Amino acid sequence: MTGLRRVVVTGVGMVSPLGAGVENVWRRLLNSESGIATIEGFDASHLPSTIGGEVPLLCGPKSDDPFILDPETVMPDKERRRVDPITIYALAAATEAVDMSGWMPTDEEAQNRTGVMIGSGIGGIESFTHAVETVLTKGARRLSPFSIPAILVNLPSGHISMKYGFRGPNHANSTACTTGTHAIGDSARMIALGDADVMVAGGTEHGIIEIGVAGFCAARALSTRYNDDPTAASRPWDKGRDGFVIGSGAGVVILEELEHARARGANILAEVRGYGMSGDAHHITAPPEDGNGGRRAMEAALRSGRMNPEDIDYVNAHGTSTPLGDLAEFGAVRQLFGEHRKAMSMSSTKSAVGHALGAAGALEAIFCLLAIRDQVAPPTLNLNDPEDTIDMDLVPNHPRERQIRATISNSFGFGGTNGSLIFSAYSG
């Protein structure tokens, strides 16, 4: 974001279908492992799609398995019953990110200059469903006084701010599947404009409940062909794709004004170089076939960072595994990058973790940051028979070591809302 205060990333945290903890998830992703399985959180056998990317949660005796999230370590049981899983996921990811950044101020001015912006695409839908069931079966007077707070989209931000005493901008957004990207981009702009020095930003989602899966099934958006082979279901750009696989999780990054980070000796992972948005004005769920909305979002991100297409080495695609969406996104990349696309790599990590809706952009932003750190492009799983018209490296099935100076992370959502983030290696 040239011309404004520079913004860097100093911490990351996540929970995902591949487990809890950034390094655990990244290691499994680079091993080409999948977190998609038959849904266990409820009986989905009566639905057309019975698979999803659920966050592995500890439900029994204590375990030393580092991939399993133990909710008791996030919030005591009594308090946990008062919140939706979106808050648990966000708190777990934020705790990891804050710990990594080392930013836990105790003086009032520093706390006032630290904000939180965690979004969610559908909010506390599990809590909303439970509240409706209570009213219908037991009566309205049996509702918990915590019913409304559990449903609200902004409560993950609120709980994080209360845990750490962060009293700067306290915000939340809900822009469907672009939520996580918008939360990070908008938070970076707050810092660039001087509204805060540090922002805790990202997205969280828990949509794998009956109404969530059934709703997407009704829209014919989910994969139904691979119920007996769940890990094969999410297959972006493969001719055998038939819809997306729903996922859950949370991704959180610590964004910081560059001089603020340098003054305290923070470890800088990368720099936020660009952020762009656009609207399709086309259809409530489908992108335009030529992908012009996605192209304009990427163009805007390049323009805000005063960068050229040739500066980008890797794209983490929205890549949901839908027949129309995957080709539209490739069309956008082909239009924008031209012949340079053949020198780039592009992959979809949704092939391993599914589509976490409002959390997807935040998870994928973190994968971009790790790609820059380790100079490796994560794989697109199940890409065995790619579309004939696609002529670029989609990193099929296995990671690819390569130079990665800068990345674009794309998110496109229902209603035609698009967002693109550019991260680059920090060069001082």
Side-chain angles (χ1 to χ4, degrees):
M1 297 184 180
T2 307
L4 301 170
R5 301 202 311 168
R6 293 170 67 182
V7 181
V8 295
V9 183
T10 58
V12 291
M14 68 163 61
V15 294
S16 86
L18 282 174
V22 167
E23 299 301 340
N24 293 331
V25 173
W26 183 237
R27 183 165 57 252
R28 296 189 71 188
L29 180 61
L30 295 186
N31 284 337
S32 301
E33 298 180 44
S34 173
I36 297 168
T38 299
I39 292 172
E40 296 183 352
F42 70 97
D43 181 4
S45 60
H46 61 294
L47 296 176
S49 181
T50 63
I51 57 178
E54 296 176 291
V55 173
L57 293 171
L58 181 64
C59 299
K62 293 292 183 180
S63 170
D64 293 328
D65 189 336
F67 301 122
I68 298 177
L69 175 64
D70 182 356
E72 183 66 27
T73 65
V74 180
M75 182 180 281
D77 182 64
K78 181 180 179 180
E79 295 179 32
R80 199 166 65 248
R81 290 196 297 268
R82 300 171 177 175
V83 302
D84 192 84
I86 61 171
T87 294
I88 300 299
Y89 297 164
L91 275 168
T95 299
E96 181 184 18
V98 169
D99 287 349
M100 180 185 293
S101 75
W103 179 245
M104 287 175 271
T106 56
D107 64 284
E108 185 175 347
E109 179 57 24
Q111 290 176 330
N112 291 345
R113 298 289 298 169
T114 303
V116 186
M117 185 171 181
I118 308 294
S120 177
I122 53 179
I125 189 171
E126 180 175 274
S127 297
F128 182 83
T129 302
H130 289 167
V132 171
E133 290 173 348
T134 297
V135 170
L136 294 178
T137 61
K138 300 179 181 179
R141 290 182 177 272
R142 295 296 299 276
L143 273 177
S144 163
F146 300 100
S147 295
I148 296 301
I151 294 167
L152 297 176
V153 171
N154 70 303
L155 260 290
S157 291
H159 277 280
I160 292 167
S161 71
M162 288 183 283
K163 176 176 179 176
Y164 292 103
F166 295 156
R167 295 194 293 262
N170 189 288
H171 202 354
N173 64 312
S174 184
T175 47
C177 304
T178 313
T179 296
T181 292
H182 282 159
I184 295 171
D186 290 347
S187 293
R189 283 189 171 170
M190 289 182 188
I191 295 172
L193 291 168
D195 295 324
D197 294 326
V198 181
M199 288 293 296
V200 182
T204 183
E205 205 76 271
H206 177 70
I208 307 182
I209 65 169
E210 186 170 11
I211 191 173
V213 177
F216 282 115
C217 283
R220 298 184 179 180
L222 298 183
S223 172
T224 60
R225 191 182 301 170
Y226 300 93
N227 287 333
D228 294 330
D229 189 10
T231 62
S234 186
R235 44 196 320 113
W237 302 296
D238 189 88
K239 291 178 182 176
R241 69 193 185 280
D242 72 324
F244 77 82
V245 176
I246 191 169
S248 289
V252 173
V253 301
I254 308 301
L255 304 176
E256 195 164 345
E257 191 272 325
L258 172 60
E259 296 307 321
H260 185 279
R262 291 177 62 179
R264 69 181 187 90
N267 180 42
I268 295 173
L269 300 176
E271 183 171 358
V272 183
R273 285 292 302 276
Y275 171 47
M277 297 175 284
S278 72
D280 290 338
H282 174 71
H283 188 272
I284 60 170
T285 59
E289 290 188 12
D290 63 0
N292 78 81
R295 172 184 56 79
R296 288 183 289 109
M298 289 186 283
E299 282 180 336
L302 287 168
R303 187 166 56 249
S304 76
R306 297 187 182 179
M307 300 178 73
N308 299 313
E310 294 75 23
D311 296 325
I312 304 299
D313 295 314
Y314 170 69
V315 177
N316 190 295
H318 186 59
T320 58
S321 189
T322 58
L324 178 60
D326 290 0
L327 290 180
E329 185 170 12
F330 173 70
V333 169
R334 179 171 53 198
Q335 291 173 47
L336 178 59
F337 292 97
E339 287 300 303
H340 176 63
R341 72 184 183 278
K342 298 177 183 179
M344 299 164 54
S345 294
M346 178 168 73
S347 67
S348 173
T349 46
K350 289 185 178 73
S351 60
V353 298
H355 185 7
L357 310 177
L363 294 172
E364 291 154 15
I366 293 171
F367 292 144
C368 282
L369 295 165
L370 298 173
I372 293 170
R373 184 193 71 179
D374 294 346
Q375 296 291 283
V376 58
T380 303
L381 303 188
N382 303 311
L383 185 53
N384 304 319
D385 188 14
E387 292 283 358
D388 296 331
T389 57
I390 297 180
D391 54 351
M392 69 178 296
D393 174 32
L394 299 177
V395 201
N397 297 310
H398 301 286
R400 186 180 312 287
E401 293 184 2
R402 58 157 298 152
Q403 181 187 44
I404 300 180
R405 300 163 298 167
T407 70
I408 283 185
S409 180
N410 285 332
S411 294
F412 312 136
F414 281 7
T417 178
N418 309 305
S420 297
L421 281 167
I422 299 178
F423 298 100
S424 69
Y426 171 63
S427 57

